[in-house]
Amino acid sequence: MEGLIPVINKLQDVFNTVGSEVIQLPQIVVIGNQSSGKSSVIENLVGRDFLPRGTGIVTRRPLVLQLIHLTRNDTENRNHDGKVVQAEEFGKFLHTKNKIYTDFKEIKEEIENETNRMGGSDRGICPEPINLKIFSNRVVNLTLVDLPGMTKVPVGDQPVDIEVQIRELCLRYISNPNSIILAVTAANTDFSTSEALKLSREVDPEGKRTLAVTTKLDLMDAGTDAMDVLCGRVIPVKLGIIGVVNRSQADIKSSKELQEALKDEASFLQKKYPSIANRNGTPYLAKTLNRLLMHHIRDCLPELKTRVNVLIAQFQNLLASFGEPIDDKAQVLLQVITKFASAYCNTIEGTAKNIETSELCGGARICYIFHETFGRTLESVDPLGGLSTRDVLTAIRNATGPRPALFVPEISFELLVKRQIRRLEEPSLRCVELVHEEMQRMIQHCGTQQEMLRFPKLYEKIVDVVTNLLRRRLPPTNSMVENLVSIELAYINTKHPDFSEAQLVHKMMTESAVQETMTQKLSREAIQKQGLDDKRFNKLDIGTTDRNSETSSQPGSAPSSASQSPARTASSTNRRSGINLLPEVPEQAPVMKLSSREQRDCDCIERLIRSYFLIVRKNIQDTIPKAIMHFLVNHVKDTLQSELVCMLYKKEEINILLEESEHIFTRRKEAQEMLQALQRASHIIGEIRETHLW
Ligand code: GDP
Ligand code: MG
């Protein structure tokens, strides 16, 4: 069953190279007070001197140590990167890549250097772990983590919160539910106050994964022993309490061989604790750990498998989102173009996949422009805006020409209403502009973010082509809109069925005109009658009245030629025309109170203008959106695909267009590597489940 652990180590390897803590693997974490012998325990398990040990704070960075058992065959065949390694034992650091350390003194130095590199040369700690693998035929398969020892009082230039820092670091490793905690307590300290056990209880209250180790059995005061502690009578530990004897500082100084130390340990235990000697000591500790680790791994496997599978699915999705690697460039190009074109059309139609819910987009915005923006603007155009009563009056007067008009002249209505209709052109053209802008904006919403990032050059070109197409559609659309307004101007259809106002006004005018003529006639008759009476009266008085009397009765008529006044001569010299005495013709109708007839005429014209204008406005409101849809929107929709193909689908440019962005390229590569690592992990897990007992 020991064969299981290399598999887990392989798994760990896989994830280390990928550089993530994706999966928490079972590992053994050593905690305990400073100088309680943690590093020594680990070293004994490894069976080699390679860890910096000593008094004070020596271990300042977590050391993740993988022990890998080598068979004789392994040592002979293990060639790393062409380097032939014949050593029976060697170490490798993750941070020095493939460098192989056969000298354990060098490993020790490298740990010290690496500790100083990240942790600084003072006595502070650094949470970044050092990863070390030891290959040996003298170790059992284990993954161990050596941690800085717990301390209470900062020394030297250690930060004041050193206790908290170390505590948190330890907690981080042991709270991993996949870890087995090795709580180390020195036998010459009070076991009942063991900091290590206290801390492990916090994360493992049921004691399912805590194993207690009592060191320094040899340093107990004379007359005392650790029997009670080791038998679990002081604090029971579910998984057991194992006593060991490591090398003392003096042994280290005298470079006592480890093998010798193990022998001494065994004989010490035989002598001091014969009844429980076979359940204590470093070899027993190693075996126990191995067993625990395997149980643990077994329990973790199903969940591990699920997690790996979930991750595989995630990375497969991620990879898929980067797009398939390109085989057939022409096909990919066509696909991207088609996809874009249909996305664009769908955005207009409102059938796009990524329809937004937070704001209007695509076709809906065009609808808004037509009916809200454009419609409202038209509605706000005052039919008589910019037209004063005086303008109307002047137009009427101009239209009648030299003749005094009986009816209000139609030509003035036509003139004025055209002027008003022309005011509809500007908002109509503005409407085209807005729709054009909207269609331009839509380009950004088509094409997935991923693809745009993947083929930046192609998308740049696509945007160019669509922009051009849109721009080319502007002149025909604008001219159609202008035409629609011109059409309205071309013929003022006063027989329009909706123009009932005309009949009404006409009738009203005729009536009032007839009435007026009647009144005029009546008054003329009255005057004539009066004149007749006067004549009769004059005849009675003066018998010599001639035809001149009629003219003289007219006011303002020139006096008889016989009596030319000097004033007349003076006036004729003043005026160039010299013919009349009238004031100059005003260019505009003079400001004055309108006569009732003028007032009535103005009202009529205004009513007509208003009524006819509303008819035209309704037409414009209806036809402009239709024209824009036909000449701009639908046209672009229909020709987009072929335009894109025509402009972009060229053999000589295909390579440039489909150049992938660096960013996507590297991300795909990373994802591929991760996926491979995960698949390897999954394969390994599968292997274990199939080949092993359960
Ligand atoms: P750590 O700080 O917990 O890693 O402790 P170390 O492994 O560095 O050991 C601290 C000191 O205690 C070293 O000088 C060791 O030689 C010494 N030491 C550790 N275990 C034992 C033991 O079982 N017996 C004796 N006599 N000394 C030990
Ligand atoms: Mg240490």
Side-chain angles (χ1 to χ4, degrees), residues 17-276:
T17 42
V18 177
S20 71
E21 274 183 283
V22 189
I23 283 180
Q24 299 186 318
L25 287 166
Q27 53 192 11
I28 290 162
V29 184
V30 185
I31 56 168
N33 277 342
Q34 197 171 297
S35 295
S36 57
K38 298 179 299 299
S39 297
S40 302
V41 166
I42 287 182
E43 217 174 38
N44 277 357
L45 290 171
V46 181
R48 277 302 217 148
D49 297 293
F50 67 99
L51 288 181
R53 285 158 301 151
T55 46
I57 185 158
V58 182
T59 312
R60 294 189 285 122
R61 278 180 69 175
L63 177 82
V64 176
L65 179 67
Q66 269 181 262
L67 306 183
I68 296 156
H69 182 79
L70 288 187
T71 62
R72 201 146 275 291
N73 270 349
D74 286 333
T75 54
E76 278 164 13
N77 297 332
R78 211 169 256 271
N79 298 355
H80 290 267
D81 312 320
K83 281 185 215 159
V84 181
V85 181
Q86 293 290 357
E88 306 240 307
E89 271 179 324
F90 57 90
K92 269 169 119 188
F93 287 97
L94 186 71
H95 67 270
T96 55
K97 301 271 154 52
N98 285 319
K99 186 167 176 193
I100 286 170
Y101 294 81
T102 46
D103 185 350
F104 278 71
K105 253 194 224 131
E106 256 184 75
I107 293 182
K108 193 175 189 163
E109 276 165 25
E110 184 54 43
I111 294 174
E112 276 164 3
N113 291 343
E114 185 59 16
T115 303
N116 289 341
R117 200 171 67 76
M118 298 286 280
S121 52
D122 63 359
R123 291 186 243 186
I125 59 157
C126 167
E128 201 60 39
I130 298 174
N131 287 286
L132 170 64
K133 279 186 222 171
I134 302 282
F135 299 83
S136 165
N137 56 3
R138 277 189 277 160
V139 295
V140 289
N141 293 308
L142 276 179
T143 299
L144 299 130
V145 181
D146 189 15
L147 289 168
M150 289 178 281
T151 170
K152 289 267 176 227
V153 188
V155 293
D157 34 12
Q158 279 178 349
V160 277
D161 65 339
I162 186 92
E163 185 190 351
V164 184
Q165 277 190 27
I166 295 177
R167 221 182 104 88
E168 271 166 13
L169 185 60
C170 292
L171 275 175
R172 191 185 314 163
Y173 278 89
I174 61 173
S175 55
N176 175 349
N178 276 358
S179 67
I180 292 169
I181 306 164
L182 216 57
V184 176
T185 315
N188 57 357
T189 58
D190 191 347
F191 190 72
S192 58
T193 62
S194 166
E195 285 290 327
L197 279 175
K198 248 201 267 173
L199 199 64
S200 75
R201 288 249 163 104
E202 280 184 31
V203 294
D204 176 32
E206 289 170 49
K208 279 203 234 156
R209 52 190 181 92
T210 305
L211 182 66
V213 178
T214 306
T215 55
K216 307 193 183 178
L217 288 178
D218 59 321
L219 291 186
M220 295 192 74
D221 286 343
T224 61
D225 66 28
M227 207 57 188
D228 283 352
V229 169
L230 293 177
C231 292
R233 289 193 283 259
V234 179
I235 300 177
V237 177
K238 216 186 245 171
L239 298 184
I241 304 168
I242 297 172
V244 293
V245 179
N246 302 316
R247 284 171 296 172
S248 64
Q249 192 65 31
D251 294 338
I252 294 168
K253 281 212 180 102
S254 65
S255 325
K256 180 177 177 180
E257 279 292 324
L258 231 158
Q259 290 307 314
E260 208 178 315
L262 285 177
K263 258 187 233 157
D264 288 355
E265 182 192 35
S267 59
F268 174 85
L269 288 171
Q270 274 304 333
K271 209 173 100 199
K272 266 275 197 170
Y273 305 92
S275 59
I276 52 169

Side-chain angles (χ1 to χ4, degrees), residues 451-468:
E451 232 162 32
M452 284 195 206
L453 287 177
R454 187 178 176 195
F455 304 119
K457 286 196 179 130
L458 177 57
Y459 269 86
E460 215 170 273
K461 272 275 153 74
I462 287 179
V463 172
D464 279 357
V465 171
V466 185
T467 307
N468 257 324

